[in-house]
Amino acid sequence: MRSAFVECPQKAYWQYFQHYKGGGEISTDLHAGKAFASGLETARRAYYDDNKPEDESFAIGLDVLYKEYGDFVPPPHKANKSLDRLLQAFIYYRKAFPFARDPVQPYRKKDGSSMVELSFALPIEPELLLHPETGEPLIYTGRADMIATYAGALSVYDDKTTSQLGPKWGNQWNRRAQFTGYTWAARAYNIPVTQVIVRGIAILKTEINHAQAITSRLPHHVDEWHYQLIRDLTRAIDCWKNNYFDVNLADACGAYGGCMFQQPCMAVEPDPWLETNFIRKIWNPLARTEETILPEPKND
Ligand code: SF4
């Protein structure tokens, strides 16, 4: 949401504050990525927490991937993210990174359980940064795939499925706020994370390969992120209070095939466009549920 707001406040307002979502089509990348991540998380839990053998753990994870993917049919240009290819990628992962020999191992809590997944919801600045309507502290919530140890350092770990891995693939994570936020959250729980590991699995039509990026998150990175987040949210609150959200009118309007709000954004009256061409769904990141908002009945 912060990223969308920084890109274009008007877009963030429609997409996240008013909850308008385009046409109902499920994103293939998101659907495939979610099913793959669920499979891996289940396999890790089976191995590290339930002490099941590695083969059995991966088999359990594979089954979860299969069920989560369901009967979804990707469009032809996304055939590389079909169920068949995802299952092959899972088997590839198992061979490339067997748990027993993986240098990335989950960090264990004091009770001995592994930190396969870190879910959190923390006030950003409890006394100062308050919701403009409710007066409640604004909450930062997220979910990291794993808190891990690697080369002696505590790390935020994330798996990413992708369609390509170039030589500069790893550069995109160096400044990525998502991982700085996870680091901030881990530190709030007294887990002194200092680095981020991102493992990319490229699922192509004819081959599968992988890459791993390691980047640091030192205390000054976290302080910078927190300060910037407060500035961005303060600006968002000002937009809300002034009932005006700035427009980008530049690259964001045309990126990735064009902003989905171009038509309402060009209209004198955007509401009819929004009500006719979009549906409203509220994603609750704490409950991890999505609820559709039905349109108000019209009085003739
Ligand atoms: S079309 Fe451009 S200005 Fe309008 S909401 Fe989209 S990104 Fe913002």
Side-chain angles (χ1 to χ4, degrees):
M1 290 170 70
R2 188 205 73 89
S3 167
F5 179 79
V6 171
E7 191 182 328
C8 176
Q10 179 65 77
K11 182 179 171 185
Y13 172 72
W14 281 327
Q15 189 167 357
Y16 294 112
F17 297 12
Q18 293 293 315
H19 310 288
Y20 281 111
K21 306 287 179 323
E25 186 186 314
I26 300 173
S27 157
T28 302
D29 290 335
L30 281 180
H31 183 73
K34 194 163 167 283
F36 193 85
S38 292
L40 270 182
E41 182 189 327
T42 304
R44 286 197 182 105
R45 285 192 189 286
Y47 181 77
Y48 290 110
D49 289 338
D50 301 337
N51 296 317
K52 293 196 183 300
E54 190 155 327
D55 282 350
E56 186 182 343
S57 300
F58 268 98
I60 294 169
L62 201 68
D63 191 48
V64 166
L65 190 169
Y66 180 81
K67 285 180 180 145
E68 281 228 2
Y69 196 93
D71 56 6
F72 177 79
V73 179
H77 68 283
K78 288 281 183 185
N80 63 318
K81 296 284 181 76
S82 66
L83 174 60
D84 192 40
R85 292 301 286 155
L86 265 271
L87 294 173
Q88 288 170 29
F90 201 79
I91 292 164
Y92 173 96
Y93 190 100
R94 189 243 181 287
K95 283 189 186 145
F97 305 105
F99 290 151
R101 297 201 304 277
D102 195 337
V104 175
Q105 291 290 315
Y107 174 67
R108 290 201 177 269
K109 293 185 256 185
K110 282 190 183 135
D111 66 4
S113 61
S114 67
M115 288 202 77
V116 173
E117 188 203 352
L118 167 70
S119 289
F120 61 89
L122 297 164
I124 297 161
E125 191 65 55
E127 303 295 325
L128 298 175
L129 201 64
L130 305 177
H131 190 286
E133 299 285 326
T134 66
E136 298 286 332
L138 289 177
I139 304 290
Y140 184 81
T141 180
R143 183 184 176 285
D145 282 351
M146 184 160 64
I147 300 298
T149 57
Y150 178 80
L154 280 173
S155 317
V156 164
Y157 173 91
D158 215 62
D159 289 298
K160 300 277 186 200
T161 51
T162 178
S163 297
Q164 60 178 27
L165 287 170
K168 295 183 178 169
W169 173 81
N171 291 351
Q172 62 186 303
W173 314 119
N174 289 335
R175 300 291 288 154
R176 185 66 66 103
Q178 174 193 5
F179 296 130
T180 323
Y182 293 170
T183 304
W184 171 79
R187 286 167 171 262
Y189 292 111
N190 290 321
I191 306 167
V193 164
T194 55
Q195 69 181 10
V196 172
I197 302 165
V198 189
R199 204 171 265 172
I201 305 296
I203 309 170
L204 315 175
K205 268 188 193 161
T206 52
E207 62 175 318
I208 296 165
N209 49 49
H210 69 270
Q212 184 166 283
I214 301 171
T215 179
S216 62
R217 286 300 184 278
L218 301 175
H220 73 274
H221 298 136
V222 177
D223 290 347
E224 175 201 42
W225 168 85
H226 192 239
Y227 181 66
Q228 186 62 52
L229 182 64
I230 290 170
R231 284 183 65 90
D232 295 336
L233 288 172
T234 302
R235 186 173 157 223
I237 290 168
D238 284 344
C239 289
W240 179 271
K241 286 181 175 167
N242 295 328
N243 197 24
Y244 184 82
F245 284 78
D246 298 278
V247 284
N248 176 275
L249 305 182
D251 291 348
C253 305
Y256 303 110
C259 167
M260 67 176 168
F261 295 112
Q262 277 191 9
Q263 290 297 348
C265 198
M266 289 167 73
V268 179
E269 294 286 345
D271 286 351
W273 277 100
L274 292 164
E275 288 161 13
T276 308
N277 296 291
F278 294 80
I279 49 175
R280 293 179 77 197
K281 286 183 183 174
I282 296 184
W283 166 249
N284 182 333
L286 295 174
R288 302 183 66 74
T289 56
E290 192 167 59
E291 188 183 336
T292 301
I293 308 173
L294 296 173
E296 300 269 329
K298 293 220 180 323
N299 295 324
D300 291 331

